[in-house]
Amino acid sequence: AEPGAIEALERLLNAILLKFEMAEPGAPFMLALQFVSNCFHQLGEALLPLVVELMSLPLWQALWQSGSGKWLDRCRDGAAQLLLNGSVVLRGARLRASHRPLLTQGLAALKTMSQD
């Protein structure tokens, strides 16, 4: 990566996280999930702490409650993509223990959306 690129991306992602602390699942949150998920290709393990932070938001927890709707379903799809990409990166991660919430949240999502 270019010098400063990771720091710039971290600042952008932090801004995204701050914006969605009180929001409901909708188009912006879905796009944010997909954006973060697609960053794994370039950042790999460096992105895992930020993903764990994203999973600690109340909005993330709300995704896995019962219910459905256009944006909720799309946000769940984006979250599932994030979990999949994160788990692939986690397999090769050096410090797996610090990323335990990724596994915990993945299991919670599977329990809620077992058909997926």
Side-chain angles (χ1 to χ4, degrees):
E2 295 290 321
I6 292 177
E7 182 181 345
L9 184 60
E10 284 178 354
R11 289 181 185 207
L12 176 61
L13 294 175
N14 281 333
I16 290 170
L17 291 176
L18 289 174
K19 179 175 173 63
F20 296 113
E21 282 192 40
M22 301 297 254
E24 293 182 8
F29 190 61
M30 178 201 62
L31 292 171
L33 290 170
Q34 291 177 351
F35 174 76
V36 173
S37 181
N38 290 326
C39 289
F40 274 113
H41 177 68
Q42 293 295 323
L43 298 177
E45 187 177 350
L47 194 57
L48 289 176
L50 209 125
V51 171
V52 169
E53 186 179 339
L54 177 65
M55 291 176 179
S56 68
L57 293 174
L59 184 54
W60 179 271
Q61 306 301 322
L63 289 178
W64 309 112
Q65 304 301 317
S66 62
S68 66
K70 176 183 173 182
W71 291 113
L72 182 59
D73 292 341
R74 289 182 179 180
C75 285
R76 284 179 180 155
D77 289 344
Q81 179 185 0
L82 182 67
L83 286 167
L84 176 63
N85 290 350
S87 66
V88 169
V89 170
L90 186 62
R91 289 182 64 200
R94 292 168 287 191
L95 302 172
R96 293 183 188 146
S98 62
H99 309 304
R100 183 178 179 187
L102 185 64
L103 297 175
T104 306
Q105 293 301 323
L107 290 173
L110 282 174
K111 287 179 184 177
T112 303
M113 308 301 293
S114 57
Q115 72 277 10
D116 294 336

PDB file of all heavy atoms in Angstrom, residues 10 15 21 54 66 81 88 92 97-99 102:
ATOM      1  N   GLU A  10      -8.222   4.340   7.442  1.00  0.00           N
ATOM      2  CA  GLU A  10      -8.679   4.242   8.833  1.00  0.00           C
ATOM      3  C   GLU A  10      -9.517   5.457   9.216  1.00  0.00           C
ATOM      4  O   GLU A  10     -10.553   5.324   9.864  1.00  0.00           O
ATOM      5  CB  GLU A  10      -7.493   4.112   9.780  1.00  0.00           C
ATOM      6  CG  GLU A  10      -6.875   2.738   9.790  1.00  0.00           C
ATOM      7  CD  GLU A  10      -5.674   2.658  10.712  1.00  0.00           C
ATOM      8  OE1 GLU A  10      -5.237   3.696  11.270  1.00  0.00           O
ATOM      9  OE2 GLU A  10      -5.158   1.541  10.866  1.00  0.00           O
ATOM     10  N   ALA A  15     -14.840   7.606  10.375  1.00  0.00           N
ATOM     11  CA  ALA A  15     -15.941   8.545  10.109  1.00  0.00           C
ATOM     12  C   ALA A  15     -17.222   7.786   9.796  1.00  0.00           C
ATOM     13  O   ALA A  15     -18.308   8.151  10.249  1.00  0.00           O
ATOM     14  CB  ALA A  15     -15.579   9.478   8.955  1.00  0.00           C
ATOM     15  N   GLU A  21     -23.448   5.035  14.490  1.00  0.00           N
ATOM     16  CA  GLU A  21     -23.654   4.567  15.855  1.00  0.00           C
ATOM     17  C   GLU A  21     -25.118   4.611  16.259  1.00  0.00           C
ATOM     18  O   GLU A  21     -25.568   3.779  17.014  1.00  0.00           O
ATOM     19  CB  GLU A  21     -22.802   5.374  16.832  1.00  0.00           C
ATOM     20  CG  GLU A  21     -21.364   4.919  16.822  1.00  0.00           C
ATOM     21  CD  GLU A  21     -20.584   5.494  17.961  1.00  0.00           C
ATOM     22  OE1 GLU A  21     -21.117   5.575  19.078  1.00  0.00           O
ATOM     23  OE2 GLU A  21     -19.435   5.867  17.726  1.00  0.00           O
ATOM     24  N   LEU A  54     -16.556  -2.405  14.325  1.00  0.00           N
ATOM     25  CA  LEU A  54     -17.836  -2.302  13.624  1.00  0.00           C
ATOM     26  C   LEU A  54     -18.854  -3.272  14.207  1.00  0.00           C
ATOM     27  O   LEU A  54     -20.025  -2.942  14.379  1.00  0.00           O
ATOM     28  CB  LEU A  54     -17.626  -2.571  12.134  1.00  0.00           C
ATOM     29  CG  LEU A  54     -18.852  -2.573  11.235  1.00  0.00           C
ATOM     30  CD1 LEU A  54     -19.472  -1.183  11.193  1.00  0.00           C
ATOM     31  CD2 LEU A  54     -18.483  -3.016   9.837  1.00  0.00           C
ATOM     32  N   SER A  66     -34.819 -10.581  14.923  1.00  0.00           N
ATOM     33  CA  SER A  66     -35.833 -11.069  13.984  1.00  0.00           C
ATOM     34  C   SER A  66     -36.450  -9.904  13.224  1.00  0.00           C
ATOM     35  O   SER A  66     -36.428  -8.767  13.678  1.00  0.00           O
ATOM     36  CB  SER A  66     -36.919 -11.848  14.731  1.00  0.00           C
ATOM     37  OG  SER A  66     -37.570 -11.012  15.653  1.00  0.00           O
ATOM     38  N   GLN A  81     -21.239 -10.839   3.883  1.00  0.00           N
ATOM     39  CA  GLN A  81     -20.053 -10.724   3.038  1.00  0.00           C
ATOM     40  C   GLN A  81     -18.848 -10.290   3.877  1.00  0.00           C
ATOM     41  O   GLN A  81     -17.748 -10.807   3.712  1.00  0.00           O
ATOM     42  CB  GLN A  81     -20.304  -9.724   1.915  1.00  0.00           C
ATOM     43  CG  GLN A  81     -19.118  -9.512   1.008  1.00  0.00           C
ATOM     44  CD  GLN A  81     -19.356  -8.413  -0.031  1.00  0.00           C
ATOM     45  OE1 GLN A  81     -20.416  -7.804  -0.076  1.00  0.00           O
ATOM     46  NE2 GLN A  81     -18.367  -8.165  -0.848  1.00  0.00           N
ATOM     47  N   VAL A  88     -11.915 -15.380   6.156  1.00  0.00           N
ATOM     48  CA  VAL A  88     -10.832 -15.821   5.269  1.00  0.00           C
ATOM     49  C   VAL A  88      -9.511 -15.187   5.689  1.00  0.00           C
ATOM     50  O   VAL A  88      -8.479 -15.858   5.786  1.00  0.00           O
ATOM     51  CB  VAL A  88     -11.163 -15.493   3.796  1.00  0.00           C
ATOM     52  CG1 VAL A  88      -9.958 -15.698   2.895  1.00  0.00           C
ATOM     53  CG2 VAL A  88     -12.342 -16.326   3.318  1.00  0.00           C
ATOM     54  N   GLY A  92      -5.362 -16.675   8.235  1.00  0.00           N
ATOM     55  CA  GLY A  92      -3.924 -16.439   8.120  1.00  0.00           C
ATOM     56  C   GLY A  92      -3.403 -15.385   9.082  1.00  0.00           C
ATOM     57  O   GLY A  92      -2.234 -15.028   9.025  1.00  0.00           O
ATOM     58  N   ALA A  97      -6.444 -14.370  18.599  1.00  0.00           N
ATOM     59  CA  ALA A  97      -7.195 -14.227  19.849  1.00  0.00           C
ATOM     60  C   ALA A  97      -7.820 -12.844  19.981  1.00  0.00           C
ATOM     61  O   ALA A  97      -8.937 -12.708  20.477  1.00  0.00           O
ATOM     62  CB  ALA A  97      -6.294 -14.519  21.039  1.00  0.00           C
ATOM     63  N   SER A  98      -7.150 -11.825  19.511  1.00  0.00           N
ATOM     64  CA  SER A  98      -7.675 -10.460  19.646  1.00  0.00           C
ATOM     65  C   SER A  98      -8.857 -10.202  18.715  1.00  0.00           C
ATOM     66  O   SER A  98      -9.550  -9.204  18.856  1.00  0.00           O
ATOM     67  CB  SER A  98      -6.575  -9.430  19.398  1.00  0.00           C
ATOM     68  OG  SER A  98      -6.077  -9.562  18.081  1.00  0.00           O
ATOM     69  N   HIS A  99      -9.091 -11.112  17.787  1.00  0.00           N
ATOM     70  CA  HIS A  99     -10.189 -10.954  16.834  1.00  0.00           C
ATOM     71  C   HIS A  99     -11.330 -11.927  17.117  1.00  0.00           C
ATOM     72  O   HIS A  99     -12.129 -12.220  16.242  1.00  0.00           O
ATOM     73  CB  HIS A  99      -9.681 -11.126  15.407  1.00  0.00           C
ATOM     74  CG  HIS A  99      -8.492 -10.279  15.094  1.00  0.00           C
ATOM     75  ND1 HIS A  99      -8.495  -8.914  15.256  1.00  0.00           N
ATOM     76  CD2 HIS A  99      -7.259 -10.604  14.656  1.00  0.00           C
ATOM     77  CE1 HIS A  99      -7.311  -8.435  14.920  1.00  0.00           C
ATOM     78  NE2 HIS A  99      -6.545  -9.435  14.562  1.00  0.00           N
ATOM     79  N   LEU A 102     -15.022 -11.570  15.930  1.00  0.00           N
ATOM     80  CA  LEU A 102     -15.365 -11.919  14.555  1.00  0.00           C
ATOM     81  C   LEU A 102     -15.998 -13.308  14.504  1.00  0.00           C
ATOM     82  O   LEU A 102     -17.016 -13.514  13.840  1.00  0.00           O
ATOM     83  CB  LEU A 102     -14.115 -11.857  13.675  1.00  0.00           C
ATOM     84  CG  LEU A 102     -14.307 -12.082  12.182  1.00  0.00           C
ATOM     85  CD1 LEU A 102     -15.162 -10.977  11.579  1.00  0.00           C
ATOM     86  CD2 LEU A 102     -12.974 -12.148  11.477  1.00  0.00           C
TER      87      LEU A 102
END
